[in-house]
Short mmCIF file of all heavy atoms in Angstrom, two decimals:
data_model
loop_
_atom_site.label_atom_id
_atom_site.label_comp_id
_atom_site.label_asym_id
_atom_site.label_seq_id
_atom_site.Cartn_x
_atom_site.Cartn_y
_atom_site.Cartn_z
N ASP O 138 -24.41 12.72 6.93
CA ASP O 138 -25.87 12.49 6.97
C ASP O 138 -26.63 13.74 7.38
O ASP O 138 -27.86 13.74 7.49
CB ASP O 138 -26.21 11.34 7.91
CG ASP O 138 -25.82 11.62 9.36
OD1 ASP O 138 -25.19 12.68 9.62
OD2 ASP O 138 -26.17 10.81 10.24
N GLY O 139 -25.90 14.83 7.65
CA GLY O 139 -26.53 16.09 8.01
C GLY O 139 -26.78 16.28 9.49
O GLY O 139 -27.22 17.35 9.91
N SER O 140 -26.46 15.28 10.29
CA SER O 140 -26.73 15.38 11.73
C SER O 140 -25.56 16.04 12.46
O SER O 140 -24.41 15.96 12.02
CB SER O 140 -26.98 14.00 12.33
OG SER O 140 -25.79 13.23 12.32
N ALA O 141 -25.87 16.67 13.58
CA ALA O 141 -24.83 17.31 14.37
C ALA O 141 -23.98 16.28 15.11
O ALA O 141 -22.78 16.46 15.29
CB ALA O 141 -25.46 18.28 15.37
N SER O 142 -24.62 15.19 15.53
CA SER O 142 -23.88 14.15 16.27
C SER O 142 -23.05 13.29 15.34
O SER O 142 -21.95 12.84 15.68
CB SER O 142 -24.85 13.28 17.06
OG SER O 142 -25.81 12.69 16.19
N GLY O 143 -23.55 13.04 14.12
CA GLY O 143 -22.81 12.25 13.15
C GLY O 143 -22.80 10.77 13.46
O GLY O 143 -23.36 10.30 14.46
N VAL O 144 -22.11 10.02 12.62
CA VAL O 144 -21.94 8.58 12.78
C VAL O 144 -20.48 8.30 13.08
O VAL O 144 -19.60 8.73 12.34
CB VAL O 144 -22.36 7.83 11.49
CG1 VAL O 144 -22.12 6.34 11.63
CG2 VAL O 144 -23.81 8.13 11.14
N MET O 145 -20.21 7.62 14.18
CA MET O 145 -18.82 7.38 14.58
C MET O 145 -18.14 6.39 13.64
O MET O 145 -18.69 5.32 13.33
CB MET O 145 -18.76 6.86 16.02
CG MET O 145 -19.16 7.90 17.06
SD MET O 145 -18.25 9.46 16.94
CE MET O 145 -16.53 8.91 17.13
N LYS O 146 -16.95 6.75 13.19
CA LYS O 146 -16.16 5.91 12.29
C LYS O 146 -14.69 6.01 12.67
O LYS O 146 -14.30 6.85 13.49
CB LYS O 146 -16.34 6.37 10.84
CG LYS O 146 -17.76 6.22 10.29
CD LYS O 146 -17.84 6.64 8.82
CE LYS O 146 -19.24 6.46 8.27
NZ LYS O 146 -19.35 6.87 6.85
N THR O 147 -13.86 5.16 12.06
CA THR O 147 -12.41 5.21 12.28
C THR O 147 -11.69 5.18 10.94
O THR O 147 -12.23 4.72 9.93
CB THR O 147 -11.92 4.04 13.14
OG1 THR O 147 -12.21 2.80 12.46
CG2 THR O 147 -12.56 4.04 14.52
N LEU O 148 -10.47 5.68 10.94
CA LEU O 148 -9.61 5.66 9.75
C LEU O 148 -8.18 5.45 10.19
O LEU O 148 -7.71 6.09 11.14
CB LEU O 148 -9.74 6.98 8.98
CG LEU O 148 -8.84 7.12 7.75
CD1 LEU O 148 -9.30 6.20 6.63
CD2 LEU O 148 -8.77 8.56 7.28
N LYS O 149 -7.48 4.54 9.51
CA LYS O 149 -6.07 4.29 9.80
C LYS O 149 -5.21 4.96 8.74
O LYS O 149 -5.47 4.82 7.54
CB LYS O 149 -5.78 2.80 9.85
CG LYS O 149 -6.43 2.09 11.04
CD LYS O 149 -6.02 0.63 11.10
CE LYS O 149 -6.64 -0.07 12.31
NZ LYS O 149 -6.14 0.46 13.59
N VAL O 150 -4.19 5.68 9.20
CA VAL O 150 -3.28 6.38 8.28
C VAL O 150 -1.85 6.27 8.79
O VAL O 150 -1.60 5.87 9.93
CB VAL O 150 -3.67 7.87 8.13
CG1 VAL O 150 -5.04 8.04 7.51
CG2 VAL O 150 -3.60 8.59 9.48
N ASP O 151 -0.90 6.64 7.93
CA ASP O 151 0.51 6.56 8.28
C ASP O 151 1.06 7.87 8.84
O ASP O 151 1.99 7.87 9.64
CB ASP O 151 1.33 6.16 7.04
CG ASP O 151 0.83 4.89 6.41
OD1 ASP O 151 0.85 3.85 7.10
OD2 ASP O 151 0.41 4.92 5.23
N VAL O 152 0.49 8.98 8.38
CA VAL O 152 0.96 10.31 8.79
C VAL O 152 -0.27 11.18 9.05
O VAL O 152 -1.28 11.07 8.36
CB VAL O 152 1.83 10.96 7.69
CG1 VAL O 152 2.25 12.38 8.09
CG2 VAL O 152 3.07 10.12 7.41
N VAL O 153 -0.15 12.05 10.06
CA VAL O 153 -1.24 12.98 10.39
C VAL O 153 -0.70 14.40 10.37
O VAL O 153 0.37 14.69 10.92
CB VAL O 153 -1.85 12.67 11.77
CG1 VAL O 153 -2.96 13.68 12.11
CG2 VAL O 153 -2.38 11.25 11.83
N ILE O 154 -1.44 15.30 9.72
CA ILE O 154 -1.13 16.72 9.76
C ILE O 154 -2.23 17.42 10.55
O ILE O 154 -3.40 17.35 10.18
CB ILE O 154 -1.03 17.33 8.34
CG1 ILE O 154 0.13 16.70 7.57
CG2 ILE O 154 -0.86 18.84 8.41
CD1 ILE O 154 0.25 17.21 6.12
N GLY O 155 -1.86 18.05 11.65
CA GLY O 155 -2.82 18.79 12.47
C GLY O 155 -2.91 20.23 11.99
O GLY O 155 -1.97 21.01 12.18
N ALA O 156 -4.03 20.57 11.35
CA ALA O 156 -4.28 21.93 10.86
C ALA O 156 -5.59 22.43 11.45
O ALA O 156 -6.35 23.14 10.80
CB ALA O 156 -4.33 21.93 9.34
N ASP O 157 -5.83 22.03 12.69
CA ASP O 157 -7.14 22.27 13.31
C ASP O 157 -7.14 23.43 14.30
O ASP O 157 -7.88 23.42 15.28
CB ASP O 157 -7.68 20.99 13.96
CG ASP O 157 -6.67 20.29 14.85
OD1 ASP O 157 -5.46 20.53 14.70
OD2 ASP O 157 -7.09 19.48 15.70
N GLY O 158 -6.33 24.44 14.03
CA GLY O 158 -6.44 25.71 14.73
C GLY O 158 -5.83 25.79 16.11
O GLY O 158 -5.17 24.86 16.59
N ALA O 159 -6.06 26.94 16.75
CA ALA O 159 -5.43 27.22 18.03
C ALA O 159 -5.84 26.23 19.12
O ALA O 159 -5.06 25.94 20.02
CB ALA O 159 -5.78 28.65 18.46
N ASN O 160 -7.06 25.71 19.05
CA ASN O 160 -7.53 24.73 20.04
C ASN O 160 -7.38 23.31 19.53
O ASN O 160 -8.21 22.44 19.78
CB ASN O 160 -9.00 25.01 20.40
CG ASN O 160 -9.18 26.36 21.07
OD1 ASN O 160 -8.38 26.74 21.92
ND2 ASN O 160 -10.21 27.10 20.67
N SER O 161 -6.32 23.05 18.83
CA SER O 161 -6.08 21.79 18.13
C SER O 161 -6.19 20.55 19.02
O SER O 161 -5.49 20.40 20.02
CB SER O 161 -4.68 21.83 17.50
OG SER O 161 -4.31 20.57 17.01
N ARG O 162 -7.07 19.65 18.61
CA ARG O 162 -7.16 18.35 19.30
C ARG O 162 -5.97 17.47 18.95
O ARG O 162 -5.55 16.64 19.76
CB ARG O 162 -8.47 17.65 18.91
CG ARG O 162 -9.71 18.32 19.47
CD ARG O 162 -10.96 17.54 19.19
NE ARG O 162 -12.14 18.17 19.79
CZ ARG O 162 -13.36 17.70 19.71
NH1 ARG O 162 -13.60 16.56 19.05
NH2 ARG O 162 -14.38 18.33 20.28
N ILE O 163 -5.46 17.64 17.74
CA ILE O 163 -4.28 16.85 17.35
C ILE O 163 -3.09 17.25 18.20
O ILE O 163 -2.30 16.40 18.64
CB ILE O 163 -3.99 17.04 15.85
CG1 ILE O 163 -5.18 16.57 15.00
CG2 ILE O 163 -2.73 16.26 15.45
CD1 ILE O 163 -5.60 15.14 15.22
N ALA O 164 -2.93 18.55 18.47
CA ALA O 164 -1.83 19.01 19.33
C ALA O 164 -1.95 18.42 20.72
O ALA O 164 -0.95 18.00 21.32
CB ALA O 164 -1.83 20.53 19.39
N LYS O 165 -3.17 18.35 21.24
CA LYS O 165 -3.37 17.76 22.57
C LYS O 165 -3.06 16.27 22.55
O LYS O 165 -2.47 15.73 23.51
CB LYS O 165 -4.81 17.99 23.03
CG LYS O 165 -5.15 19.45 23.35
CD LYS O 165 -6.59 19.57 23.82
CE LYS O 165 -6.93 21.01 24.24
NZ LYS O 165 -6.91 21.94 23.11
#
Side-chain angles (χ1 to χ4, degrees):
D138 63 355
S140 69
S142 58
V144 177
M145 291 307 302
K146 296 182 179 180
T147 61
L148 176 71
K149 292 185 179 295
V150 296
D151 305 300
V152 177
V153 178
I154 296 177
D157 49 340
N160 296 318
S161 170
R162 290 185 177 181
I163 300 302
K165 291 181 176 66

